[in-house]
Amino acid sequence: IGGMNRPEMRPELRERLLEAMLRELDEKGREGISVTAVLAGLGVSEEEFAAEFDDLDACVDAAYEELTARIAAAVRDGCAGSPPSGSERAWADRVRGGLEALLAELAADPLRARTLTRTYPALGPRGQARYQSFLDSFVPLLAPGREVSEVSRELPAIVESLAIGAVEAILFEEIACARAEQLPALLPSLLFSVLVPVLGPVAAATEMEKAQR
């Protein structure tokens, strides 16, 4: 009964707490985070924290979920801002819109980009599983490409995952080298790498040249 009377945290305060946890995680690592210090800095009571999270790990996990959900939503919005799928051009435009949104999100906040791809996944199996789940969430956005591909029957079942893996490997390296702010410049080459197995080199090169312009 006593737990039912614990004060609930205001949404804006919860958001600030999650942002602070991501920052602390990136700067100090999991073992270096002082929950007491973070709460004091934000004016959050231990009772409010306990009402929201079981422990530090639960809070860090929630912060990462918020981060990935926001980025995934931006990518979906980027895809939706292009014409509906139904032709090679329309599908390519949707992929381009999603990539543009992803690169913009990562470039806007290099610290969060590093936390997304490196710091949190490095926590261990739990972090790696959540990161992989985030990557897998983009597979449905690429799947409509099979409907417009002239070689759809020849495409392997994991072609979308392979395309996402290729993009992720490049982004991971760029972020690791502290070049997150320069990621939007990679749009043409990343777009080509995603489109080429589905549309072929000629059509993919055409879309790449459009992106370069």
Side-chain angles (χ1 to χ4, degrees):
I1 296 176
M4 296 176 61
N5 296 322
R6 290 186 300 183
E8 293 184 0
M9 194 180 301
R10 300 191 307 276
E12 64 273 15
L13 195 55
R14 185 180 190 274
E15 181 178 350
R16 288 171 55 202
L17 174 61
L18 295 182
E19 290 177 354
M21 282 299 178
L22 288 181
R23 185 169 58 253
E24 290 287 298
L25 176 65
D26 187 79
E27 294 177 355
K28 302 176 181 178
R30 163 64 180 80
E31 300 305 320
I33 298 177
S34 169
V35 175
T36 301
V38 173
L39 297 182
L42 296 173
V44 178
S45 69
E46 293 186 3
E47 291 76 13
E48 288 175 311
F49 181 84
E52 289 283 334
F53 309 106
D54 292 334
D55 53 25
L56 171 60
D57 288 332
C59 183
V60 171
D61 290 346
Y64 191 74
E65 292 291 345
E66 288 277 343
L67 174 62
T68 55
R70 190 187 72 247
I71 294 177
V75 173
R76 289 194 298 270
D77 289 345
C79 291
S82 302
S85 298
S87 67
E88 287 188 4
R89 175 62 56 82
W91 179 70
D93 284 345
R94 289 170 65 82
V95 173
R96 174 179 171 177
L99 276 174
E100 284 179 328
L102 174 62
L103 298 178
E105 284 284 328
L106 298 177
D109 196 331
L111 185 149
R112 288 187 180 180
R114 187 168 62 242
T115 302
L116 171 75
T117 59
R118 294 175 58 82
T119 312
Y120 183 86
L123 292 178
R126 185 181 83 256
Q128 294 165 9
R130 280 188 166 86
Y131 180 49
Q132 187 60 51
S133 178
F134 168 70
L135 297 177
D136 292 343
S137 70
F138 298 122
V139 169
L141 300 179
L142 296 182
R146 294 176 179 272
E147 301 173 5
V148 299
S149 175
E150 295 182 358
V151 293
S152 58
R153 294 184 178 180
E154 302 173 17
L155 294 175
I158 59 171
V159 67
E160 293 87 2
S161 296
L162 293 174
I164 291 170
V167 170
E168 188 273 340
I170 295 172
L171 297 183
F172 185 94
E173 182 65 23
E174 292 299 305
I175 292 169
C177 294
R179 293 193 290 262
E181 294 177 346
Q182 304 171 31
L183 287 178
L186 298 180
L187 174 65
S189 58
L190 293 177
L191 181 63
F192 179 85
S193 69
V194 174
L195 299 182
V196 68
V198 179
L199 302 184
V202 175
T206 298
E207 298 300 326
M208 180 180 69
E209 292 170 1
K210 284 175 52 184
Q212 289 173 332
R213 295 195 295 270

